[in-house]
Amino acid sequence: MSSFLFFSSFNMIIPELPAYLSSLGGEDYKGLIIALFTLSAGLSRPFSGKLADKIGRIPVMMVGATVCFVVGLLYPLLTFVSGFLFLRFAHGFSAGFTPTGASAYVADIVPFQKRGEAMGIQSLFGSLGMAAGPAVGGWIASIWSFNTVFYCAAFTAIFSILILLRLKETLPEKEPLSIGLFKLTRHEIIEKRVLLPSIILFLSVFSFGVVLTIIPDFSTHLGIKNKGLFFAVFTISSLGIRLIAGRTSDRYGRVVVLRAAVICMMMAMVSVAFAESKTVLLLSGVLFGAAVGMYSPTTTAWVVDRSLDKFRGRALATMYIFLESGIGVGAVISGWLYANNPENFRLVFLSSGGVAFLAFLILIFIKRDRKTYLPH
């Protein structure tokens, strides 16, 4: 529930930010709204992973939720372009901290044999928050003002914090917070034990970056007025399969489910590439959502399987670094290939399917999965 409120909080303002930035005179900087947020989230991951392993899971979750609260209150005060862009960068630290701590916390309290199912539940509530936040934010903005949306987002984060206050810390041996904990060695940035699932995740979410970047223009190209329709369809599709995928990975192993996920992703991208109607595009969205719903909880569970308890936070931070990198690289490369030329749509989506195929090739040669990694 805390994750639901957290994701609702920072997603609540997303639909209104382009118009708000334009009202400040910063319409030329719209591309930085997500880019700055993602950059700071990625930069903060190694720190959140280390702190989750040293000072505890709950403090790390609370840092992220507190950032959401404070930044939400500051948006109406820093009403100039540079101030807004600074807040977007600062806001990204919330996403860099809370999900890392939350995933580690869930992994700590759930039995090994139900880990996939638990990650499915966690990702389900996170996705519900990501879906509910923009809808509620858009409704509030249509009745009241930008500032009202910011304040509502801030106080939604407060409720997330109140839930965390009632939880019991799961890290057995905590260290006091000190300046030394913010010094990272190169070994503390990436957890090598989870590189394999992280690389597969990178290749899998490449298509997510492509979809975020290209689908709005492609929807317009097909004559679809509502550019968000594809996103709504794949979100609903991903929600429906998360618990099933998690439970299946507990029973049959992570690799089996991930193979199905990347096959589904390849089919989705090829289907989008050849879509010439609204119906085909939306059916592709169902396939795309199913792929996302399968690989999200399964990869998280696999990462936890392969990690040592004392480095669990670092392992999950590594996974999130590869996740954000994959989405970012997919967005940049697809924008470059597309070059605002409709004739390049097919090339972009087929290339994305090819990247997913690389993930499938790796998975084909993996014979060991979660059953070989017993609890530590």
Side-chain angles (χ1 to χ4, degrees), residues 209-364:
V210 173
V211 164
L212 290 175
T213 307
I214 306 299
I215 284 295
D217 281 3
F218 189 57
S219 297
T220 302
H221 176 70
L222 294 181
I224 301 172
K225 293 182 179 179
N226 185 349
K227 296 179 182 178
L229 198 57
F230 182 91
F231 298 95
V233 168
F234 89 65
T235 299
I236 294 170
S237 174
S238 74
L239 294 178
I241 201 169
R242 287 176 189 270
L243 288 181
I244 298 172
R247 288 173 180 170
T248 303
S249 75
D250 285 333
R251 185 171 181 180
Y252 299 104
R254 318 302 186 198
V255 171
V256 173
V257 176
L258 288 175
R259 286 173 184 166
V262 294
I263 290 172
C264 206
M265 182 63 78
M266 288 187 290
M267 292 171 59
M269 289 297 98
V270 172
S271 179
V272 172
F274 291 96
E276 295 182 353
S277 67
K278 177 180 178 179
T279 301
V280 175
L281 180 65
L282 296 185
L283 288 174
S284 304
V286 174
L287 286 172
F288 182 83
V292 172
M294 283 190 278
Y295 71 61
S296 179
T298 305
T299 303
T300 306
W302 194 17
V303 164
V304 175
D305 293 345
R306 295 178 67 100
S307 66
L308 299 173
D309 288 353
K310 63 180 179 178
F311 297 137
R312 185 167 285 167
R314 184 197 301 175
L316 289 162
T318 299
M319 180 194 76
Y320 283 117
I321 290 170
F322 276 78
L323 171 74
E324 284 150 358
S325 299
I327 294 173
V329 172
V332 171
I333 291 181
S334 62
W336 174 71
L337 287 175
Y338 170 44
N340 291 313
N341 184 354
E343 293 182 1
N344 293 331
F345 280 132
R346 188 164 293 176
L347 169 65
V348 172
F349 294 124
L350 289 178
S351 298
S352 176
V355 174
F357 180 66
L358 293 178
F360 180 73
L361 288 179
I362 296 173
L363 287 165
I364 284 295

Side-chain angles (χ1 to χ4, degrees), residues 2 8 18 26 77 99 103 121 154-155 176 180 191 209-210 215 262 266 272 281 330:
S2 180
S8 295
L77 300 179
S103 297
I121 294 172
F155 284 98
E191 177 56 45
V210 173
I215 284 295
V262 294
M266 288 187 290
V272 172
L281 180 65

Side-chain angles (χ1 to χ4, degrees), residues 144-194:
W144 291 287
S145 64
F146 288 128
N147 288 353
T148 306
V149 179
F150 293 139
Y151 291 135
C152 288
F155 284 98
T156 300
I158 281 289
F159 288 112
S160 174
I161 294 172
L162 291 176
I163 293 174
L164 294 176
L165 291 174
R166 299 180 61 84
L167 297 181
K168 181 180 178 181
E169 178 56 57
T170 57
L171 188 66
E173 297 180 7
K174 296 187 292 181
E175 294 183 16
L177 183 63
S178 64
I179 296 297
L181 293 179
F182 292 92
K183 296 178 181 178
L184 294 174
T185 67
R186 61 188 180 90
H187 301 293
E188 293 176 318
I189 297 175
I190 298 294
E191 177 56 45
K192 293 181 180 179
R193 290 178 66 90
V194 300

